[in-house]
Amino acid sequence: MSGIILPGADGALYQRDRAWHPPANTPGYKSTTFRAPRHALLSLGGTASELTGPTFGHSSLNPLDNDLIRNYSQDGSEAIGQRIIVYGQVLDENARAVPDTLVEFWQANAGGRYRHRKEAYLAPLDPNFGGCGRAVTDENGFYSFRTIKPGAYPWPNGVNDWRPAHIHFSVFGHAFAQRLITQMYFEGDPMIWQCPIVGSIADKSAIDQLVARLDRHNTTPMDALAYRFDIVLRGRRSTMFENKLEGN
Amino acid sequence: MLHPVPTLKETPSQTAGPYVHIGLTPNFAEIKGVYATDPGSTMLTENTKGERITISGRIFDGSGAVVNDALVEIWQADADGSYVAPMGPNSNSAPAFTGWGRQPTNAEGIFTFETIKPGPVPGPDGKPMAPHVNLWIVARGINIGLQTRLYFDDETEANGKDFVLNKIMDPRRRLTLIARKEDGPVPRYMLDIHLQGDKETVFFDM
């Protein structure tokens, strides 16, 4: 099932609004100092190399991949913490659903401790919590997973900097130039507004787009609260392929 | 034909952070048993058509220190110059090849992919682009993923005609994208990537 690029056809992605995204160099987040390019980016109109991307089938997933409460269970026990469902829709800038795309997520445990050898925070590991999961969006672009709400954690930036509770997200879309990594925050968390990584984004409404909303309607009574987090990927100008595939 | 303007804003990027391996290469992070293998760790099967090569690179920051906590993804055409995806421009993709790989940098800041040398892909003008591999780099301290390309130093003629390389005004900066071949049973192409400074790699807005 392959499409054909029409010579001269306009199939490029919308230009990325790099004033909406965080710039490379944000001194409040100290690690950017030596990791931010100083030269201007070279602008490329997308070629086939950028307008295609890897695809991942639903069949490549295991049943527990989207259940972080149970996917690292060592003795049949479930992870400790506040049980939540996180779900949402992956859309493009044209508000069209992005089906069949891989969404990956990772996080600290309820105490803010990551399962990583470089992590030295004194809060303990949860023996039944790994902290990774993945899902493929359905035909309407929806993903969901079950997890425990991560704790805030301190990090060596300022002398007393703490990250708000957050879940990292990685999304593919259907083009390599749509590739995105971001972080999800929780509605009402006062720590969002003191974080230098959040503050790398200049526009408050852009930050607001990273805040998941408590969703009582999708809460499972006596089990898990629900948060909704929709993700928007870059949209395409128009149909570049003869056969109209998803994303066009 | 006119198009509707975008109605939604793209979700803003955030850094992948120092623990990106938990989510994207959990077995490398010693989180075993969740995924059988790390996604993107194997690109080939024995049936993959094409010349086996190793692509390797070392990432440096602006102080000259190696970046030992980065994650690199590549996306490339198969030996025929086709992208193995439903949206690929050609129809004869080799099914035994994923085209996509993902690797962390090690303690020395080095990433390594076992892959095949890609064939030339048509550019927007219909003329072939020189063989290349697209790279995407994320890490602690990188707020939005860095996009670049790797070209091959034994493709001098094709590189000289490549429209992307020729967009780079300073010819010395073109060299930042060209990996040097090291001969061996499996040829290895090595590229140093500098995030910042005098030797800074060319990164793209695409």
Side-chain angles (χ1 to χ4, degrees):
Chain A
M1 187 175 77
S2 289
I4 305 295
I5 292 183
L6 303 173
D10 194 9
L13 297 163
Y14 294 123
Q15 176 174 311
R16 195 163 240 172
D17 181 353
R18 289 183 180 268
W20 181 256
H21 287 282
N25 185 25
T26 50
Y29 174 22
K30 294 181 181 180
S31 292
T32 64
T33 301
F34 285 120
R35 293 184 171 198
R38 291 285 186 265
H39 288 76
L41 301 176
L42 181 71
S43 295
L44 274 191
T47 72
S49 304
E50 292 79 37
L51 299 178
T52 58
T55 52
F56 303 90
H58 295 259
S59 61
S60 61
L61 302 189
N62 304 311
L64 289 180
D65 279 0
N66 69 341
D67 185 355
L68 281 69
I69 294 177
R70 291 193 297 157
N71 72 7
Y72 193 73
S73 180
Q74 302 302 300
D75 62 1
S77 300
E78 300 194 333
I80 292 170
Q82 186 192 330
R83 301 158 71 86
I84 58 172
I85 297 158
V86 178
Y87 84 102
Q89 192 177 22
V90 181
L91 302 154
D92 69 13
E93 288 170 291
N94 297 312
R96 295 184 181 122
V98 181
D100 301 319
T101 194
L102 183 65
V103 182
E104 299 165 289
F105 20 84
W106 68 100
Q107 63 170 93
N109 70 20
R113 174 71 186 267
Y114 282 97
R115 187 173 285 281
H116 194 283
R117 62 185 177 278
K118 288 185 179 171
E119 164 70 281
Y121 182 35
L122 50 76
L125 289 168
D126 177 344
N128 296 305
F129 187 74
C132 63
R134 58 185 173 181
V136 173
T137 57
D138 69 13
E139 67 274 18
N140 296 312
F142 281 92
Y143 72 90
S144 70
F145 60 100
R146 211 167 70 123
T147 187
I148 53 96
K149 189 176 177 186
Y153 86 100
W155 60 301
N157 187 63
V159 293
N160 187 21
D161 277 342
W162 291 71
R163 297 300 325 282
H166 64 279
I167 300 176
H168 297 264
F169 274 72
S170 158
V171 195
F172 281 81
H174 296 144
F176 203 52
Q178 287 178 304
R179 195 76 182 80
L180 181 73
I181 277 182
T182 190
Q183 301 184 28
M184 183 203 103
Y185 304 99
F186 290 86
E187 181 177 15
D189 185 346
M191 299 184 67
I192 293 169
W193 306 104
Q194 50 79 52
C195 176
I197 289 179
V198 175
S200 68
I201 298 171
D203 190 320
K204 197 172 177 184
S205 52
I207 294 172
D208 196 54
Q209 204 174 346
L210 299 182
V211 180
R213 264 48 182 186
L214 179 66
D215 177 359
R216 293 291 301 272
H217 294 299
N218 277 295
T219 290
T220 307
M222 305 304 285
D223 183 346
L225 280 173
Y227 283 88
R228 177 163 181 161
F229 181 55
D230 291 345
I231 298 165
V232 180
L233 302 178
R234 301 171 69 185
R236 278 176 198 269
R237 290 185 189 285
S238 67
T239 307
M240 73 178 289
F241 298 101
E242 283 181 341
N243 48 350
K244 296 205 176 186
L245 293 171
E246 63 278 3
N248 278 314
Chain B
M1 188 176 147
L2 294 175
H3 314 295
V5 296
T7 55
L8 299 175
K9 292 294 286 184
E10 188 186 6
T11 297
S13 175
Q14 291 267 265
T15 180
Y19 310 129
V20 58
H21 317 99
I22 293 173
L24 302 191
T25 55
N27 289 288
F28 172 80
E30 296 164 22
I31 297 172
K32 308 284 187 185
V34 182
Y35 307 154
T37 58
D38 286 337
S41 56
T42 305
M43 300 177 68
L44 305 174
T45 70
E46 58 188 19
N47 298 321
T48 307
K49 195 176 139 191
E51 181 195 359
R52 266 61 177 168
I53 61 167
T54 299
I55 286 175
S56 195
R58 189 161 45 155
I59 307 182
F60 298 90
D61 74 10
S63 75
V66 296
V67 178
N68 60 14
D69 56 4
L71 186 96
V72 181
E73 291 186 8
I74 64 172
W75 174 239
Q76 66 164 93
D78 65 16
D80 298 325
S82 297
Y83 284 98
V84 185
M87 297 176 77
N90 299 311
S91 57
N92 56 347
S93 299
F97 180 58
T98 65
W100 174 76
R102 169 189 283 170
Q103 293 288 342
T105 55
N106 65 14
E108 285 77 48
I110 296 171
F111 61 86
T112 302
F113 294 90
E114 306 299 334
T115 184
I116 52 153
K117 196 165 181 193
V121 175
D125 56 0
K127 293 177 187 162
M129 294 186 279
H132 64 276
V133 172
N134 277 45
L135 276 77
W136 182 74
I137 302 165
V138 294
R140 169 178 67 87
I142 296 177
N143 284 330
I144 182 165
L146 295 170
Q147 292 152 318
T148 186
R149 286 186 176 192
L150 178 149
Y151 288 85
F152 300 89
D153 74 347
D154 54 354
E155 297 284 347
T156 312
E157 189 182 342
N159 289 344
K161 296 178 188 164
D162 183 82
F163 93 100
V164 173
L165 288 173
N166 283 309
K167 270 180 176 272
I168 303 168
M169 299 304 285
D170 181 348
R172 291 169 301 181
R173 296 204 74 215
R174 289 175 202 160
L175 300 176
T176 68
L177 304 186
I178 298 175
R180 50 181 200 280
K181 185 177 187 180
E182 296 172 357
D183 287 321
V186 175
R188 185 168 89 132
Y189 292 88
M190 185 76 194
L191 184 70
D192 282 346
I193 292 172
H194 294 268
L195 300 182
Q196 184 191 93
D198 292 343
K199 303 176 193 166
E200 189 171 304
T201 298
V202 175
F203 297 106
F204 300 120
D205 189 8
M206 48 183 55

